């Protein structure tokens, strides 16, 4: 079966760095997405990785290792507005997105 | 900017009622999707459509149907609502067919079935 695993909840301090991990087992791989979802709102796109390595975009970076079935989202200089759920999703061989349950990130002052 | 709109943010219906959830996108996207999102679970795909008049079952189509008569509009229908269909429903659209383009989401409809 297809499976995406990520931690249910994480807590971090304002100004710090946090890494949210995602492991996956899917039938085929056409890329991995990270989305941010604030409470009561729609998910919004953060990043897309299809090749191994680190993609940096401002305070957010995303890493992929296809051989390990592993990705992480790295958030630097955390701000209170980063409190949200972070969803990992993998595009399978049929170009359908398989979604993780999301990681709720709580930022404390 | 892509805009995906959904007809209602909050909806309360009674068991057995027929429910229509409407989704409209304004960027001429071919692909549209309906998901439901429940606490502790990932987004689960109900139905999707690659183009007008086309529809494909997702992972959990039971109890739902869809309609795509126009490219910009994708409707989700609950023929006879049940309490286990209480959920957040998210519509999304995407430009490419087989590509890896981003899905753009609507604001969601929180449906409660009493």
């Amino acid at each position: 079966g297809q499976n995406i695993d990520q931690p249910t909840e994480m807590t971090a301090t304002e100004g710090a760095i946090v890494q949210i991990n995602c492991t996956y087992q899917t039938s085929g791989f056409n890329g991995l997405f990270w989305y941010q979802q604030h409470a009561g709102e729609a998910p919004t796109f953060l990043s897309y990785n299809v090749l191994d390595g680190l993609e940096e975009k401002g305070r957010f970076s995303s890493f992929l290792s296809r051989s390990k079935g592993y990705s992480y989202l790295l958030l630097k200089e955390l701000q209170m507005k980063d409190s949200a759920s972070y969803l990992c999703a993998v595009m399978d061989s049929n170009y359908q997105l398989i979604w993780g349950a999301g990681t709720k990130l709580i930022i404390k002052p | 900017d892509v805009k995906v709109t959904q007809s209602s943010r909050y909806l309360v219906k009674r068991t057995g009622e027929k429910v229509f959830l409407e989704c409209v996108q304004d960027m001429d996207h071919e692909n549209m999707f309906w998901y439901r999102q429940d606490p502790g679970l990932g987004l689960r795909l109900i139905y999707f459509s690659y183009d007008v008049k086309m529809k494909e079952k997702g992972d959990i189509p039971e109890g739902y149907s869809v309609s795509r008569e126009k490219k910009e509009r994708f409707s989700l229908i609950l023929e006879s609502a049940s309490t286990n269909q209480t959920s957040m429903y998210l519509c999304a659209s995407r430009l490419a067919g087989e590509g890896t383009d981003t899905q753009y989401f609507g604001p969601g409809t929180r449906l409660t079935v009493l």
Side-chain angles (χ1 to χ4, degrees), chain B residues 65-78:
Chain B
S65 62
V66 290
S67 172
R68 185 116 183 252
E69 295 298 315
K70 293 185 178 181
K71 192 174 187 178
E72 67 271 18
R73 188 180 298 270
F74 192 35
S75 303
L76 180 69
I77 302 152
L78 287 67

Side-chain angles (χ1 to χ4, degrees), chain A residues 27-46:
Chain A
S27 54
F29 180 83
N30 280 300
L32 186 144
F33 292 79
W34 283 97
Y35 279 77
Q36 181 190 59
Q37 186 178 25
H38 286 100
E41 297 183 11
T44 55
F45 170 77
L46 284 179

Side-chain angles (χ1 to χ4, degrees), chain B residues 15-61:
Chain B
T15 302
E17 280 192 80
K18 191 168 186 176
V19 182
F20 292 88
L21 303 183
E22 300 282 332
C23 176
V24 177
Q25 49 93 6
D26 66 357
M27 284 302 290
D28 204 34
H29 284 178
E30 289 86 3
N31 303 166
M32 296 187 76
F33 306 82
W34 274 107
Y35 293 94
R36 64 177 283 176
Q37 185 176 33
D38 299 290
L41 301 176
L43 273 72
R44 292 183 290 168
L45 184 63
I46 304 171
Y47 267 96
F48 60 100
S49 169
Y50 282 134
D51 209 337
V52 180
K53 306 279 188 185
M54 295 176 67
K55 57 185 179 184
E56 298 285 341
K57 292 181 179 179
D59 299 319
I60 51 165

Side-chain angles (χ1 to χ4, degrees), chain B residues 1-5 24-29 92-95 102-106:
Chain B
D1 274 357
V2 176
K3 190 165 185 183
V4 181
T5 57
V24 177
Q25 49 93 6
D26 66 357
M27 284 302 290
D28 204 34
H29 284 178
S93 72
R94 182 178 72 185
L95 177 62
T102 305
Q103 290 189 14
Y104 295 89
F105 285 84

Side-chain angles (χ1 to χ4, degrees), chain A residues 42-86:
Chain A
T44 55
F45 170 77
L46 284 179
S47 68
Y48 169 69
N49 294 66
V50 68
L51 298 176
D52 290 351
L54 187 67
E55 295 273 346
E56 296 188 74
K57 195 184 289 186
R59 292 189 300 113
F60 292 9
S61 304
S62 56
F63 171 83
L64 175 68
S65 169
R66 287 172 296 170
S67 62
K68 294 182 180 178
Y70 168 69
S71 173
Y72 67 73
L73 181 69
L74 191 71
L75 291 74
K76 301 177 185 175
E77 300 168 17
L78 285 169
Q79 302 175 10
M80 298 303 293
K81 68 178 181 179
D82 297 330
S83 291
S85 288
Y86 292 85

